Amino acid sequence: GDLDEIQRGIALTTECAELAPTEPNCLLARAEQEQSLHRFPAARADADRARELGGDPTRVGDLVAELDWNEGRYEGSIAHFREARQQRPSTGTWLREAQLEHDLGGDEAAERAFERAEDRVADTAPFPIAHLNLQRGMHEVDRGRLEEACVFFRESIARMPTYVAALEHLAETLRALGRDAEAMTLYEQVTRLSTDPEFAFALATLYDAHDRKAEAATLHEKARAGYEALLQTYPEAMYWHASEYFAAKGDAKRALELLQKNLVLRPNSGSYVALAKVLLTLGRIPEAADAIDKALGMPLKSAALFWTAARVKR
């Protein structure tokens, strides 16, 4: 998740494409990194060019399906993910189907798919199972099963003790359970491993809650400066994340501005729900209703969707 490292990957694959302009794998590798930074038009252009150059149709198809998903083109991408799992059963394709079932509101189907994904693990490297357990933990959080989520996050960390995403999700979940001391220790570890301002802000709010005001103030300033810097360098990747920060800080207008830019890039269900929530905060009810109606018209189902819809329409 280090954005500078992803940008380094783009620079290297760009050099590859310049040295070998007819090599589709250079373009596909760059497209995958561009997608990670939410540079979706550039990623799609590289995928299209790689297809023209005879690139691996499976790899191209998987990438295009993810791009379609981000853009709210669900019908084709859902069909692709299901077909991929049927034709190429693996940890990766079963995991993607588990995530799909989760997003469609099929909790039991998601559980079965997660189990099948774990059954397929054959790699002795720690990352595949650590990532799988992270995803399972996130699934349990969304179901409100926080203790169960902690089990999966701890399993992930056992495989990779410095896995920032797992450490951060465990800290967040422990805080939701009221176990602030444990959460604080984990966030302190995370902020030593990562410069992501999200984690500095989370730790600052914990320090505030426990009367460590001076330390909190330092971290609040670090988080603010960090978000502003990342918005300058990686705007597309930061629109949504930064909007959550500004909303939490009480700056709903700034959050709205960022979410409107995010929606241009990703006109999907989650983007419309996030937009509706901020519009509701600002008292712009007709616009919030329009946004939530667009989300309700899409196949994805979540508690956040229905909770936001209930608040908009009450």
Side-chain angles (χ1 to χ4, degrees):
D2 187 317
L3 303 188
D4 290 335
E5 288 300 307
I6 297 171
Q7 181 57 50
R8 175 66 173 158
I10 291 174
L12 290 168
T13 49
T14 296
E15 183 177 351
C16 173
E18 290 169 351
L19 290 169
T22 60
E23 171 51 64
N25 287 328
C26 298
L27 296 171
L28 282 172
R30 182 169 68 180
E32 289 160 354
Q33 300 300 314
E34 288 166 335
Q35 180 183 225
S36 296
L37 289 183
H38 298 179
R39 297 173 184 171
F40 301 126
R44 193 176 290 276
D46 276 346
D48 289 344
R49 180 58 179 153
R51 182 188 284 114
E52 292 171 2
L53 292 171
D56 178 1
T58 296
R59 190 174 175 188
V60 172
D62 288 348
L63 175 60
V64 169
E66 293 292 351
L67 291 170
D68 287 345
W69 178 270
N70 274 292
E71 292 179 11
R73 303 178 185 180
Y74 292 118
E75 184 176 353
S77 53
I78 289 172
H80 178 90
F81 298 144
R82 293 200 189 285
E83 184 178 353
R85 194 273 301 163
Q86 291 167 359
Q87 295 185 355
R88 296 178 277 123
S90 66
T91 296
T93 57
W94 271 110
L95 174 56
R96 190 64 186 87
E97 182 151 317
Q99 294 167 322
L100 171 62
E101 295 293 356
H102 169 86
D103 288 334
L104 295 176
D107 287 342
E108 291 184 5
E111 288 288 334
R112 290 193 296 271
F114 278 124
E115 292 290 346
R116 297 297 295 273
E118 185 171 8
D119 291 342
R120 290 274 176 173
V121 173
D123 197 329
T124 57
F127 181 73
I129 193 67
H131 178 64
L132 173 59
N133 280 317
L134 170 65
Q135 298 302 315
R136 295 191 75 172
M138 293 165 64
H139 170 68
E140 296 296 346
V141 167
D142 283 350
R143 297 177 69 192
R145 295 158 52 109
L146 302 188
E147 294 288 359
E148 290 85 347
C150 288
V151 172
F152 286 113
F153 293 143
R154 292 188 193 282
E155 283 293 319
S156 180
I157 294 164
R159 300 280 178 161
M160 291 179 62
T162 58
Y163 191 8
V164 168
L167 289 163
E168 187 274 332
H169 276 89
L170 177 59
E172 184 178 36
T173 307
L174 288 169
R175 187 175 186 192
L177 287 166
R179 292 153 66 175
D180 283 10
E182 294 173 82
M184 197 179 298
T185 298
L186 283 166
Y187 272 126
E188 287 168 346
Q189 181 181 355
V190 168
T191 54
R192 290 192 295 269
L193 292 168
S194 171
T195 59
D196 191 321
E198 177 183 344
F199 311 143
F201 178 58
L203 182 56
T205 60
L206 264 173
Y207 282 164
D208 270 330
H210 292 272
D211 204 30
R212 295 171 63 172
K213 301 299 184 183
E215 294 164 286
T218 299
L219 284 169
H220 277 302
E221 176 54 28
K222 182 178 180 181
R224 185 203 62 78
Y227 275 112
E228 295 292 2
L230 288 173
L231 279 167
Q232 289 294 316
T233 309
Y234 306 111
E236 301 94 340
M238 291 306 299
Y239 287 148
W240 190 323
H241 295 290
S243 77
E244 293 183 327
Y245 166 75
F246 286 109
K249 294 289 285 185
D251 190 348
K253 290 184 178 179
R254 184 77 184 279
L256 175 61
E257 172 192 330
L258 294 169
L259 286 171
Q260 287 169 331
K261 293 178 179 179
N262 173 72
L263 187 66
V264 173
L265 288 174
R266 297 195 293 176
N268 60 29
S269 178
S271 297
Y272 279 113
V273 173
L275 183 64
K277 288 168 66 176
V278 171
L279 287 166
L280 184 61
T281 299
L282 290 167
R284 294 164 62 168
I285 307 303
E287 293 167 90
D290 181 66
I292 205 65
D293 283 343
K294 287 184 170 63
L296 288 167
M298 295 177 174
L300 275 61
K301 311 298 179 189
S302 69
L305 166 66
F306 294 119
W307 174 241
T308 304
R311 292 171 60 217
V312 169
K313 295 180 179 292
R314 66 183 177 183

